[in-house]
Amino acid sequence: MAEFNNGPRGGSGDNRGGGNDRRGGGNDRRGGNDRKEESRTGDSDLKEKVVAINRVAKVVKGGRRFSFSAIVVVGDGNGTVGYGLGKANEVTDAIAKGIDDAKKNLVKVPLYKHTVPHIMEGKYSGGFVLVQPAAAGTGVIAGGAMRAVFESAGIKDVLAKSKGSSNPHNVVKATFDALLKMRDPMQIAQARGITLSQVFNG
């Protein structure tokens, strides 16, 4: 009987040891999360701007189930900018997902003296925007969705007008379409073998 009783107690001790091992594994996983946080802080120079948050209600048997979608624009203020969409059951989680998505879709847009190089139109679905350069001190003359893109990209003087859909999804994507179609004046001058002033003055 004594040997029989010692067996389960010894087994319990082994199980407790296994539990400690599992907790140790949990500590290792927490260490992995710390490494992820360090990688995220590497993008600390990027600033986030929430363009719009939309609440979606799904009717189920027990009532309504709410979820949220967020459009987020990130940029370093020096020509690098991106946008992303996040969806979750909580607003903070949706914004976090949008930020992660935006950081995966960063693009470089041309700048010239804190404004855009030339006039350009952008279109996406029902969204249609007009973007043109402005003199120093003008500021960002644009609507909410477009303003977030320009400020994140580091554009300080610009005149812009949305002529199509007011849906922030379409406006943001149309603005990116216009910025990506612009050409860098320095590259044009080098390709043509002329000076920068000749590019603008002919």
Side-chain angles (χ1 to χ4, degrees):
M1 291 295 292
E3 293 178 357
F4 180 78
N5 291 333
N6 287 337
R9 281 201 298 271
S12 299
D14 293 339
N15 290 337
R16 284 196 298 271
N20 291 334
D21 291 340
R22 286 193 294 271
R23 285 197 296 272
N27 291 335
D28 292 340
R29 287 194 293 272
R30 284 197 295 271
N33 289 337
D34 292 339
R35 287 192 294 271
K36 289 181 182 178
E37 291 297 330
E38 290 176 2
S39 64
R40 289 177 182 174
T41 54
D43 298 330
S44 57
D45 56 337
L46 296 175
K47 297 181 180 179
E48 305 92 9
K49 289 183 180 294
V50 179
V51 177
I53 298 176
N54 186 31
R55 188 181 72 173
V56 179
K58 179 182 180 181
V59 179
V60 296
K61 185 177 180 180
R64 293 180 180 177
R65 184 175 299 167
F66 294 100
S67 62
F68 299 89
S69 64
I71 311 171
V72 184
V73 176
V74 301
D76 63 352
N78 194 29
T80 301
V81 65
Y83 71 92
L85 174 65
K87 298 179 181 180
N89 293 330
E90 298 292 337
V91 176
T92 54
D93 295 338
I95 294 174
K97 287 183 179 180
I99 292 172
D100 292 338
D101 186 33
K103 289 180 179 179
K104 296 176 184 177
N105 301 310
L106 294 174
V107 295
K108 188 73 174 178
V109 298
L111 301 179
Y112 179 71
K113 294 182 179 179
H114 300 295
T115 186
V116 294
H118 53 84
I119 299 175
M120 182 56 67
E121 294 177 346
K123 190 177 187 307
Y124 182 87
S125 186
F128 181 74
V129 300
L130 173 65
V131 181
Q132 61 183 12
T138 303
V140 178
I141 310 298
M146 300 173 70
R147 176 182 295 272
V149 176
F150 293 139
E151 290 178 350
S152 298
I155 299 173
K156 298 181 180 179
D157 305 296
V158 66
L159 298 172
K161 178 66 178 175
S162 176
K163 298 183 176 182
S165 170
S166 60
N167 186 333
H169 292 265
N170 292 336
V171 173
V172 168
K173 293 177 182 179
T175 305
F176 270 86
D177 179 61
L179 293 176
L180 292 176
K181 288 192 296 186
M182 291 185 178
R183 302 180 63 188
D184 189 356
M186 292 296 295
Q187 294 180 355
I188 295 176
Q190 293 176 359
R192 295 180 181 178
I194 57 178
T195 62
L196 193 60
S197 60
Q198 290 177 319
V199 173
F200 290 99
N201 301 325

